[in-house]
Structure formats: C-alpha cells, structure tokens
Amino acid sequence: MLQPYARDAGFADDALAGAALHARVTALAKWTAAHDPLRQSDAEAIVEAAARHPLVEGEAGIGFEAPAFQEMILFIEELPW
C-alpha cells in the first residue's frame, strides 16, 4: 500500500522516495508501539492511513498526530470497500 504512495508522490529521486517511505514506516512503528501494541487494529486500515496521513514533527521526532491518525484508521475501517 505504500508503493502507490511513493509512485503517486512523484519522487524523481530514489533516495528521496526511500527517505519518505522510511519516515512513514518509522512513524507507523512509533504509533503502533505507543497506541496499538497488541496490534488490535485492522492492519490494512493502519497501512492505508500511514500512506495518507500527514507526518508531523514532535518531541520524539517525525510521527503521526496520534488522535487524528487513530480517527483516520477508524474511518478507513468503516469504509465499505
């Protein structure tokens, strides 16, 4: 699911695309460790949200704004497709 993000983002440089994907995967790992350590959320919804949700700079570095990210996951879980 993150591959279409990289393709749609239009990165001309593979190094930039790799860094962007790394930032999203790292943010996802941080969020999961802090907010879903038992991995109870729908995995596809989480990855889809990670591909779409904006990254923010916080005290712990780059990540997702937790309440808004959780809200997006719940929204995606409810989609009929």
Side-chain angles (χ1 to χ4, degrees), residues 28 31-32 35-36 40-50 53 64 66-79:
L28 178 56
W31 181 87
T32 300
H35 302 284
D36 192 17
Q40 296 176 333
S41 299
D42 180 68
E44 287 185 33
I46 289 174
V47 174
E48 186 70 31
H53 202 274
F64 297 116
F69 187 68
Q70 177 68 40
E71 193 173 311
M72 180 172 251
I73 292 168
L74 294 174
F75 173 76
I76 292 170
E77 286 178 344
E78 295 297 321
L79 290 174

Side-chain angles (χ1 to χ4, degrees), residues 2 19-36 46 49-51 53-58 60-66 69 73:
L2 290 174
L21 288 173
H22 183 266
R24 288 191 173 275
V25 169
T26 300
L28 178 56
K30 287 179 188 179
W31 181 87
T32 300
H35 302 284
D36 192 17
I46 289 174
H53 202 274
L55 294 169
V56 296
E57 181 72 32
I62 294 175
F64 297 116
E65 195 273 318
F69 187 68
I73 292 168

